[in-house]
Amino acid sequence: MKFENCEINGLILCKPKIINDKRGFFTETFRKDLFDNFTGKKSSFCQTNCSESTYGTIRGLHFQISPSSQSKLVSVQSGEILDVALDLRKNSKTFGKYFSILLNDINNYQFFVPKGFAHGFSVLSEKARVQYMVDNFYDKKNEFGINPLDEDLNIDWKVKNPVISDKDIANPNFDKNQHFNF
């Protein structure tokens, strides 16, 4: 498995080694020892989530604040998504900026999104099944979101006629004066 730092500090792209033969392929989807060695921190994933969505769906931008903030390791089991991480770390040089990456069932990449980021994705294929591990349990009282269509963020979700939950579209726009507690 290879790891690459992304343009925004803290974001990591995980590229698994895929072994192909006449039966199909094999890959290790997660190796704690290699991941921990690359990050220099001990990972502690405790919950795995899975969603399936149809083309045009946008889920996010979601995050949890302290004491329930979460890091996520996102992968796609089938289909293709545009995965997006928005930097909410007030003291970061990239505060308010986002990074996006294509994840699909061909490249089998995984995207690590640490605490301090809002996360979301759009479905680019007919259907996509997305799985992600988190290092803190879901906590409704510390869950928040940002409107994914906020014009100031100008995220190109690469879909026409997006399908967004009422809850997500009702989230406030990003405001650089907000202070998020991670």
Side-chain angles (χ1 to χ4, degrees), residues 2 7 17 20 26 58 63 72 89 106 118 122 126 130 145-147 151 157 161:
K2 289 183 178 181
E7 296 168 16
K17 179 180 179 184
N20 290 291
F26 171 83
I58 296 175
F63 62 97
K72 298 177 180 180
R89 302 169 298 174
I106 304 297
S122 61
E126 185 178 326
V130 177
I146 295 169
N147 185 326
E151 291 179 7
W157 292 99
N161 303 316

Side-chain angles (χ1 to χ4, degrees), residues 62-81:
H62 304 143
F63 62 97
Q64 290 186 180
I65 60 168
S66 184
S68 305
S69 53
Q70 296 177 321
S71 297
K72 298 177 180 180
L73 184 61
V74 184
S75 62
V76 172
Q77 304 305 304
S78 64
E80 181 173 65
I81 66 169

Side-chain angles (χ1 to χ4, degrees), residues 32-120:
K32 180 176 174 35
D33 59 338
L34 297 177
F35 185 78
D36 290 357
N37 186 52
F38 184 81
T39 63
K41 299 175 186 170
K42 290 202 175 273
S43 57
S44 58
F45 296 111
C46 62
Q47 180 178 320
T48 302
N49 303 315
C50 182
S51 69
E52 185 172 275
S53 307
T54 57
Y55 171 82
T57 296
I58 296 175
R59 291 184 182 259
L61 297 158
H62 304 143
F63 62 97
Q64 290 186 180
I65 60 168
S66 184
S68 305
S69 53
Q70 296 177 321
S71 297
K72 298 177 180 180
L73 184 61
V74 184
S75 62
V76 172
Q77 304 305 304
S78 64
E80 181 173 65
I81 66 169
L82 178 72
D83 209 40
V84 175
L86 172 67
D87 192 348
L88 301 179
R89 302 169 298 174
K90 194 74 168 180
N91 296 324
S92 170
K93 293 177 186 174
T94 53
F95 175 71
K97 300 204 181 311
Y98 73 91
F99 177 83
S100 63
I101 185 83
L102 290 175
L103 303 179
N104 58 49
D105 59 8
I106 304 297
N107 64 27
N108 289 294
Y109 292 169
Q110 297 175 55
F111 186 42
F112 177 71
V113 181
K115 292 172 173 70
F117 285 80
H119 173 258

